[in-house]
Amino acid sequence: MRLAAFFLVGIFFGIVATKSEVISWFRIHEMFRFESFHMYGVIGSAVVSSAIVLALMKSFNIKTLDGKAVSYKVKPMQVRRFLIGGSIFGLGWGLIGACPGPMFTMLGHGFLIFIVVIFSAIVGAFAYGALRDRLPH
Amino acid sequence: MIEFISQPWHWAVAGVAFAVVVFLMTWLGRMFGISSIYRNFCAMAGAGKKYAYFDVNLKDERWRLVFVLGIIVGGYLAAHYLASPGPVDISPKTVAHLHEWNIDATEGDGFLPVSLFNYSNWYGVLLAIIGGFLVGFGTRYADGCTSGHAITGLSHLQVQSLIAVIGFFIGGLIMTWLILPLLIG
């Protein structure tokens, strides 16, 4: 049952990612060229409204379906990891114009080149797992 | 109703819609994040036997697989039943700049420069392979992507995620301004 709910949230995400146009290569390119406010508006309002929702859930003690309090598993502070890893992702984002979720949305759109992109991303994840002990974190 | 939804969404509406995703995920007891799926795919292929990083409890990650399958279906539904009346409305400055690169901003309904990224263009396929690799490698290295860091992390007021997002922009700006002009300019 719970899995079906995640499937539906996925469908909703796919629709939102499409209608907000954040899956568009052109929107990403435009964002990095600072020629439109659109992407900044979407990300900014997503963060602000999510922060409000989470703050309300925490302050009114709204529990999750499992009866637990809203919590966040804090990631250990590793500046180099976030900065270097983030920059590498940014290079890819600027090139292919899609982040991990939108890659699947674009595949659903019928842009079959994303089969290659997704497969390559899996290889990239594997390369990280294989090399991680030798990378600065 | 369908016609109303089919218009391109205003950024503020889109932002609130993403917050609904964050709310539903949180309520369902999970943290919204997508890029871990690439690690899970490696784990499903048996990479856990060789590298501890892929030693993932896949049963506990089934929700993410189902979520991602939903994203593909959502993309299909949006493209076929909720498509906007025209291509993505890119800024005239970007349109003019891409014109110099022989890219038409209406390609792929304004979603993808398909003249570059298609299977009959070996160079485009090569760039797609490189781009995918960088996204997969980088998001695992940074422990999150736009969903996990930029939306979930920042809305939980995490400095860690702010650093990652700064990284996303460093990489994106270098690609857009310094490397792409050499690759496709």
Side-chain angles (χ1 to χ4, degrees), chain A residues 2-7 9-38 40-43 45-47 49-51 53-54 57-58 62-66 70-96 98-101 103-109 111-118 120-132 135-137, chain B residues 5-9 11-12 14-23 25-28 30-32 34-35 37-38 41-42 47 51 53-54 62-63 66-79 82-84 88-91 93-94 97-98 101 103-105 107-108 110-114 117 119 125 127-129 131-143 145-146 149-150 153-156 158-160 163-164 167-177 179-180:
Chain A
R2 189 73 67 92
L3 284 179
F6 284 109
F7 185 68
V9 179
I11 290 177
F12 181 66
F13 175 89
I15 293 171
V16 174
T18 300
K19 299 315 295 177
S20 62
E21 299 171 343
V22 300
I23 60 170
S24 162
W25 183 95
F26 296 97
R27 281 289 186 209
I28 306 305
H29 192 64
E30 179 190 61
M31 167 182 78
F32 284 130
R33 288 181 59 85
F34 303 108
E35 289 173 338
S36 168
F37 178 72
H38 182 85
Y40 298 98
V42 174
I43 297 173
S45 61
V47 170
S49 37
S50 300
V53 166
L54 292 170
M57 288 179 87
K58 285 170 189 168
I62 296 170
K63 299 275 201 293
T64 68
L65 261 182
D66 306 303
V70 174
S71 66
Y72 180 87
K73 193 163 170 276
V74 176
K75 300 178 193 290
M77 180 56 98
Q78 294 171 300
V79 176
R80 282 184 299 181
R81 168 180 204 171
F82 297 129
L83 214 49
I84 302 170
S87 299
I88 294 171
F89 161 53
L91 289 170
W93 194 17
L95 177 55
I96 197 63
C99 28
M103 282 182 183
F104 293 102
T105 319
M106 290 291 275
L107 181 60
H109 272 238
F111 292 112
L112 299 184
I113 193 80
F114 279 91
I115 294 173
V116 166
V117 178
I118 290 166
S120 192
I122 297 169
V123 175
F126 178 77
Y128 168 73
L131 297 172
R132 74 187 304 242
L135 298 168
H137 277 76
Chain B
I5 300 173
S6 296
Q7 304 169 71
W9 294 3
W11 55 262
V16 172
F18 277 116
V20 172
V21 174
V22 171
F23 167 74
M25 279 289 176
T26 309
W27 181 60
L28 289 167
R30 298 292 183 174
M31 279 199 298
F32 173 48
I34 295 168
S35 65
I37 193 71
Y38 296 108
F41 283 140
C42 293
Y51 299 105
Y53 179 68
F54 299 108
R62 272 197 298 207
W63 68 273
V66 172
F67 175 57
V68 163
L69 292 176
I71 293 178
I72 300 175
V73 174
Y76 175 86
L77 294 176
L82 301 171
S84 303
V88 175
D89 190 18
I90 302 298
S91 130
K93 278 186 197 162
T94 312
H97 138 75
L98 286 172
W101 287 3
I103 290 174
D104 182 347
E107 286 179 33
F111 283 105
L112 188 72
V114 288
F117 295 116
Y119 285 109
V125 173
L127 294 184
I129 290 171
F133 184 90
L134 292 170
V135 171
F137 187 89
T139 51
R140 288 300 77 222
Y141 196 163
D143 202 12
C145 60
T146 334
H149 275 309
L154 287 187
S155 58
H156 276 280
Q158 296 294 304
V159 180
Q160 287 85 329
I163 299 169
F168 299 170
F169 269 82
I170 293 172
L173 291 173
I174 291 173
M175 177 55 69
T176 302
W177 291 93
I179 305 178
L180 270 189

